[in-house]
């Protein structure tokens, strides 16, 4: 049995900025054999739901209304890292493109739906602390990883 940190919206929690979720049934099905540990860094950092969408602009996180929410993003990231360490998770599955949970691809900071290479604030902190991270569109890699370790 693996311990897997997961973006809570992928498990059906309505914690996204619009107040909806983006449930991924492949990820939900992992709960049959593994321990899933849900986190929503933006809520844990103190932001409300629903909330204005935000994007990473240089070294800050700015809402579409121009509000600086960098502090909340970093607080949520630190709490997520603490939870990952306390639970000694094997790896994380995080939501692609999010300014918190995105891995590899995020919005480019112009609020025009354009993307760029990069990691969300939380994923960046997780990776810097040696936590292995996958995103929700690379479940083939997750299943391979679980097979390799015998934690299918
Ligand atoms: Fe989902 Fe992460 Fe955004 Fe929370 S912060 S809604 S878990 S993508």
């Amino acid at each position: 049995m693996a311990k897997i940190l997961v973006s809570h919206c992928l498990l059906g929690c309505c914690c996204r900025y619009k107040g909806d979720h983006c449930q991924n049934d492949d990820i939900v099905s992992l709960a049959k054999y593994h321990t899933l540990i849900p986190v929503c860094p933006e809520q844990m950092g103190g932001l409300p739901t629903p909330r204005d969408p935000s994007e990473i602009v240089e070294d800050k996180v700015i809402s579409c209304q121009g509000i600086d929410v960098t502090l909340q993003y970093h607080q949520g990231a630190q709490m997520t890292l603490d939870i990952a360490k306390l639970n000694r998770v094997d790896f994380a599955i995080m939501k692609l493109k999010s300014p918190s949970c995105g891995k590899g691809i995020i919005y480019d900071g112009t609020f025009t739906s354009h993307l760029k290479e990069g990691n969300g604030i939380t994923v960046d902190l997780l990776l810097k602390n040696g936590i292995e991270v996958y995103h929700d569109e690379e479940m083939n890699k997750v299943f391979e990883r679980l097979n390799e370790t015998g934690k299918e």
Side-chain angles (χ1 to χ4, degrees), residues 6-10 15-17 22 39-43 51 94-95 98 100-101:
V6 183
S7 294
H8 208 170
C9 54
L10 294 171
C15 53
R16 293 184 76 213
Y17 72 94
C22 46
V39 287
C40 178
E42 291 173 25
Q43 286 192 333
R51 55 189 170 277
M94 307 298 276
K95 177 74 184 79
S98 157
S100 294
C101 296

Side-chain angles (χ1 to χ4, degrees), residues 51-67:
R51 55 189 170 277
D52 291 326
S54 298
E55 296 191 8
I56 298 173
V57 183
E58 297 176 359
D59 62 343
K60 295 191 180 302
V61 187
I62 306 292
S63 81
C64 64
Q65 300 295 333
I67 308 294

Side-chain angles (χ1 to χ4, degrees), residues 3-75:
K3 283 187 183 175
I4 309 170
L5 192 80
V6 183
S7 294
H8 208 170
C9 54
L10 294 171
L11 298 176
C13 178
C14 294
C15 53
R16 293 184 76 213
Y17 72 94
K18 287 187 285 187
D20 62 353
H21 65 78
C22 46
Q23 182 169 314
N24 179 315
D25 291 336
D26 283 341
I27 299 173
V28 172
S29 72
L30 293 174
K32 197 167 175 188
Y33 301 106
H34 304 284
T35 301
L36 304 186
I37 299 160
V39 287
C40 178
E42 291 173 25
Q43 286 192 333
M44 287 155 52
L47 293 170
T49 304
R51 55 189 170 277
D52 291 326
S54 298
E55 296 191 8
I56 298 173
V57 183
E58 297 176 359
D59 62 343
K60 295 191 180 302
V61 187
I62 306 292
S63 81
C64 64
Q65 300 295 333
I67 308 294
D68 186 339
V69 286
T70 309
L71 179 66
Q72 290 91 329
Y73 272 67
H74 282 283
Q75 283 177 340

